[in-house]
Amino acid sequence: AMARRIATVGESASVQAAAELMKKWRVGSLIVVRGKNPVGIVTDSDIIKKVVSRDLSAANVEVKEIMSSPMKFLSPGENLNDATRKMIAAKIHRMPVVSKGEVLGILTHTDIARVSSSTIDILSERAKMRESEPQLEAGSSVGVCESCGNYSESLVIVDDEWLCEDCRQEKTTEE
């Protein structure tokens, strides 16, 4: 679910330069680095709350003065539910995914909403399929395979189950 494109900025860069990078890369945050090592994160919200609202000159404020540090981060093996809980508890909208000191990506609340929405759609379709007995005796349908759970545009009823092509072939091979 995470975005793998990571935009970075040096800790001594001006906030103005950081804002220009955010605009250029169309992102809401930058990973702040010292050399190649991540040391913090600066967000569009940090710029608004810590520079603009105080009427400071963005050209005269360094990123290290407003960045969040140390960074809160996720590990690559964490599941989406745990990641969501961490983000809610920390009251933040984005968290870097870090392994062995290297930033692998960033997970945002938008990423979570996108994945969650797709999951809900699939589960809803699966529930609809289970509500009634299949009506087709021949032909195919679109939906979720009852064996593997994957979406398919060519489901066929085999032994009272809607199966995708792969599961049908697997079942034929077993018999």
Side-chain angles (χ1 to χ4, degrees):
M2 73 178 180
R4 295 187 187 275
R5 186 177 78 175
I6 305 155
T8 62
V9 66
E11 66 179 340
S12 60
S14 72
V15 170
Q16 180 179 355
E20 288 170 1
L21 283 173
M22 286 182 192
K23 180 181 175 186
K24 176 183 177 182
W25 292 103
R26 299 180 68 190
V27 295
S29 65
L30 299 169
I31 300 299
V32 182
V33 294
R34 181 180 302 133
K36 291 185 178 184
N37 300 320
V39 293
I41 186 169
V42 64
T43 68
D44 48 7
S45 180
D46 291 328
I47 294 171
I48 292 167
K49 292 176 183 175
K50 298 174 183 176
V51 178
V52 176
S53 70
R54 294 179 181 163
D55 198 26
L56 300 176
S57 170
N60 296 326
V61 177
E62 290 185 349
V63 170
K64 66 183 166 192
E65 296 175 54
I66 68 164
M67 70 180 182
S68 297
S69 182
M71 268 189 314
K72 295 182 185 309
F73 62 89
L74 301 166
S75 299
E78 289 188 65
N79 71 46
L80 204 53
N81 289 334
D82 291 340
T84 303
R85 284 187 199 97
K86 274 188 173 181
M87 290 171 71
I88 290 169
K91 296 180 183 175
I92 57 178
H93 296 201
R94 52 187 67 85
M95 282 184 111
V97 178
V98 177
S99 177
K100 299 177 185 168
E102 180 183 351
V103 179
L104 304 177
I106 192 159
L107 182 68
T108 69
H109 65 283
T110 304
D111 298 327
I112 293 168
R114 184 184 67 248
V115 171
S116 297
S117 175
S118 299
T119 303
I120 289 168
D121 290 345
I122 290 170
L123 292 174
S124 176
E125 281 299 313
R126 188 174 187 148
K128 285 179 191 174
M129 288 174 62
R130 291 194 181 276
E131 285 177 5
S132 61
E133 289 295 317
Q135 300 293 316
L136 297 176
E137 291 185 19
S140 66
S141 183
V142 174
V144 178
C145 175
E146 291 186 272
S147 179
C148 67
N150 290 328
Y151 176 82
S152 172
E153 294 187 3
S154 61
L155 294 175
V156 174
I157 297 174
V158 177
D159 296 335
D160 295 325
E161 280 188 302
W162 287 99
L163 300 178
C164 66
E165 186 175 347
D166 292 340
C167 291
R168 289 193 308 269
Q169 287 176 354
E170 192 174 295
K171 191 167 192 127
T172 304
T173 304
E174 289 174 2
E175 294 172 353

PDB file of all heavy atoms in Angstrom, residues 118-130:
ATOM      1  N   SER A 118     -10.911  -0.679  -1.791  1.00  0.00           N
ATOM      2  CA  SER A 118     -10.887  -1.830  -2.697  1.00  0.00           C
ATOM      3  C   SER A 118     -11.242  -3.114  -1.960  1.00  0.00           C
ATOM      4  O   SER A 118     -11.983  -3.955  -2.464  1.00  0.00           O
ATOM      5  CB  SER A 118      -9.502  -1.994  -3.329  1.00  0.00           C
ATOM      6  OG  SER A 118      -9.174  -0.872  -4.080  1.00  0.00           O
ATOM      7  N   THR A 119     -10.721  -3.262  -0.762  1.00  0.00           N
ATOM      8  CA  THR A 119     -11.001  -4.453   0.047  1.00  0.00           C
ATOM      9  C   THR A 119     -12.480  -4.535   0.392  1.00  0.00           C
ATOM     10  O   THR A 119     -13.095  -5.598   0.308  1.00  0.00           O
ATOM     11  CB  THR A 119     -10.149  -4.444   1.332  1.00  0.00           C
ATOM     12  OG1 THR A 119      -8.775  -4.372   0.956  1.00  0.00           O
ATOM     13  CG2 THR A 119     -10.394  -5.680   2.168  1.00  0.00           C
ATOM     14  N   ILE A 120     -13.055  -3.411   0.766  1.00  0.00           N
ATOM     15  CA  ILE A 120     -14.483  -3.372   1.101  1.00  0.00           C
ATOM     16  C   ILE A 120     -15.319  -3.753  -0.113  1.00  0.00           C
ATOM     17  O   ILE A 120     -16.288  -4.515   0.004  1.00  0.00           O
ATOM     18  CB  ILE A 120     -14.878  -1.984   1.648  1.00  0.00           C
ATOM     19  CG1 ILE A 120     -14.273  -1.798   3.043  1.00  0.00           C
ATOM     20  CG2 ILE A 120     -16.398  -1.810   1.675  1.00  0.00           C
ATOM     21  CD1 ILE A 120     -14.351  -0.384   3.580  1.00  0.00           C
ATOM     22  N   ASP A 121     -14.951  -3.256  -1.299  1.00  0.00           N
ATOM     23  CA  ASP A 121     -15.691  -3.604  -2.515  1.00  0.00           C
ATOM     24  C   ASP A 121     -15.646  -5.109  -2.781  1.00  0.00           C
ATOM     25  O   ASP A 121     -16.663  -5.722  -3.107  1.00  0.00           O
ATOM     26  CB  ASP A 121     -15.121  -2.858  -3.734  1.00  0.00           C
ATOM     27  CG  ASP A 121     -15.412  -1.369  -3.701  1.00  0.00           C
ATOM     28  OD1 ASP A 121     -16.285  -0.953  -2.907  1.00  0.00           O
ATOM     29  OD2 ASP A 121     -14.763  -0.631  -4.460  1.00  0.00           O
ATOM     30  N   ILE A 122     -14.483  -5.709  -2.624  1.00  0.00           N
ATOM     31  CA  ILE A 122     -14.338  -7.148  -2.866  1.00  0.00           C
ATOM     32  C   ILE A 122     -15.157  -7.942  -1.847  1.00  0.00           C
ATOM     33  O   ILE A 122     -15.871  -8.883  -2.203  1.00  0.00           O
ATOM     34  CB  ILE A 122     -12.854  -7.565  -2.838  1.00  0.00           C
ATOM     35  CG1 ILE A 122     -12.153  -7.007  -4.071  1.00  0.00           C
ATOM     36  CG2 ILE A 122     -12.700  -9.084  -2.769  1.00  0.00           C
ATOM     37  CD1 ILE A 122     -10.646  -7.150  -4.050  1.00  0.00           C
ATOM     38  N   LEU A 123     -15.065  -7.564  -0.572  1.00  0.00           N
ATOM     39  CA  LEU A 123     -15.824  -8.277   0.459  1.00  0.00           C
ATOM     40  C   LEU A 123     -17.327  -8.127   0.248  1.00  0.00           C
ATOM     41  O   LEU A 123     -18.100  -9.065   0.469  1.00  0.00           O
ATOM     42  CB  LEU A 123     -15.430  -7.784   1.849  1.00  0.00           C
ATOM     43  CG  LEU A 123     -14.002  -8.133   2.287  1.00  0.00           C
ATOM     44  CD1 LEU A 123     -13.679  -7.459   3.609  1.00  0.00           C
ATOM     45  CD2 LEU A 123     -13.813  -9.637   2.376  1.00  0.00           C
ATOM     46  N   SER A 124     -17.755  -6.950  -0.193  1.00  0.00           N
ATOM     47  CA  SER A 124     -19.169  -6.717  -0.467  1.00  0.00           C
ATOM     48  C   SER A 124     -19.659  -7.628  -1.598  1.00  0.00           C
ATOM     49  O   SER A 124     -20.730  -8.233  -1.504  1.00  0.00           O
ATOM     50  CB  SER A 124     -19.381  -5.250  -0.836  1.00  0.00           C
ATOM     51  OG  SER A 124     -20.708  -5.009  -1.186  1.00  0.00           O
ATOM     52  N   GLU A 125     -18.855  -7.729  -2.667  1.00  0.00           N
ATOM     53  CA  GLU A 125     -19.215  -8.619  -3.776  1.00  0.00           C
ATOM     54  C   GLU A 125     -19.280 -10.068  -3.321  1.00  0.00           C
ATOM     55  O   GLU A 125     -20.177 -10.808  -3.697  1.00  0.00           O
ATOM     56  CB  GLU A 125     -18.205  -8.480  -4.927  1.00  0.00           C
ATOM     57  CG  GLU A 125     -18.422  -7.278  -5.789  1.00  0.00           C
ATOM     58  CD  GLU A 125     -19.778  -7.277  -6.467  1.00  0.00           C
ATOM     59  OE1 GLU A 125     -20.190  -8.309  -7.033  1.00  0.00           O
ATOM     60  OE2 GLU A 125     -20.443  -6.229  -6.402  1.00  0.00           O
ATOM     61  N   ARG A 126     -18.330 -10.455  -2.496  1.00  0.00           N
ATOM     62  CA  ARG A 126     -18.298 -11.829  -1.995  1.00  0.00           C
ATOM     63  C   ARG A 126     -19.542 -12.118  -1.154  1.00  0.00           C
ATOM     64  O   ARG A 126     -20.146 -13.188  -1.261  1.00  0.00           O
ATOM     65  CB  ARG A 126     -17.034 -12.050  -1.186  1.00  0.00           C
ATOM     66  CG  ARG A 126     -16.839 -13.483  -0.809  1.00  0.00           C
ATOM     67  CD  ARG A 126     -15.503 -13.694  -0.144  1.00  0.00           C
ATOM     68  NE  ARG A 126     -15.320 -15.106   0.037  1.00  0.00           N
ATOM     69  CZ  ARG A 126     -14.172 -15.707   0.011  1.00  0.00           C
ATOM     70  NH1 ARG A 126     -13.081 -15.032  -0.193  1.00  0.00           N
ATOM     71  NH2 ARG A 126     -14.083 -17.001   0.199  1.00  0.00           N
ATOM     72  N   ALA A 127     -19.946 -11.161  -0.319  1.00  0.00           N
ATOM     73  CA  ALA A 127     -21.143 -11.330   0.512  1.00  0.00           C
ATOM     74  C   ALA A 127     -22.383 -11.457  -0.365  1.00  0.00           C
ATOM     75  O   ALA A 127     -23.253 -12.295  -0.101  1.00  0.00           O
ATOM     76  CB  ALA A 127     -21.287 -10.163   1.478  1.00  0.00           C
ATOM     77  N   LYS A 128     -22.475 -10.662  -1.411  1.00  0.00           N
ATOM     78  CA  LYS A 128     -23.626 -10.739  -2.325  1.00  0.00           C
ATOM     79  C   LYS A 128     -23.694 -12.113  -2.980  1.00  0.00           C
ATOM     80  O   LYS A 128     -24.778 -12.680  -3.155  1.00  0.00           O
ATOM     81  CB  LYS A 128     -23.525  -9.669  -3.405  1.00  0.00           C
ATOM     82  CG  LYS A 128     -23.848  -8.282  -2.930  1.00  0.00           C
ATOM     83  CD  LYS A 128     -23.685  -7.296  -4.073  1.00  0.00           C
ATOM     84  CE  LYS A 128     -23.742  -5.870  -3.583  1.00  0.00           C
ATOM     85  NZ  LYS A 128     -23.450  -4.919  -4.678  1.00  0.00           N
ATOM     86  N   MET A 129     -22.531 -12.648  -3.345  1.00  0.00           N
ATOM     87  CA  MET A 129     -22.498 -13.956  -3.991  1.00  0.00           C
ATOM     88  C   MET A 129     -22.989 -15.046  -3.039  1.00  0.00           C
ATOM     89  O   MET A 129     -23.635 -15.997  -3.465  1.00  0.00           O
ATOM     90  CB  MET A 129     -21.078 -14.284  -4.466  1.00  0.00           C
ATOM     91  CG  MET A 129     -20.640 -13.478  -5.659  1.00  0.00           C
ATOM     92  SD  MET A 129     -18.915 -13.771  -6.090  1.00  0.00           S
ATOM     93  CE  MET A 129     -18.933 -15.501  -6.490  1.00  0.00           C
ATOM     94  N   ARG A 130     -22.692 -14.903  -1.763  1.00  0.00           N
ATOM     95  CA  ARG A 130     -23.065 -15.929  -0.796  1.00  0.00           C
ATOM     96  C   ARG A 130     -24.525 -15.820  -0.347  1.00  0.00           C
ATOM     97  O   ARG A 130     -25.074 -16.760   0.209  1.00  0.00           O
ATOM     98  CB  ARG A 130     -22.152 -15.860   0.421  1.00  0.00           C
ATOM     99  CG  ARG A 130     -20.732 -16.295   0.101  1.00  0.00           C
ATOM    100  CD  ARG A 130     -19.956 -16.533   1.371  1.00  0.00           C
ATOM    101  NE  ARG A 130     -18.604 -16.930   1.118  1.00  0.00           N
ATOM    102  CZ  ARG A 130     -18.222 -18.176   0.873  1.00  0.00           C
ATOM    103  NH1 ARG A 130     -19.092 -19.140   0.831  1.00  0.00           N
ATOM    104  NH2 ARG A 130     -16.955 -18.445   0.664  1.00  0.00           N
TER     105      ARG A 130
END
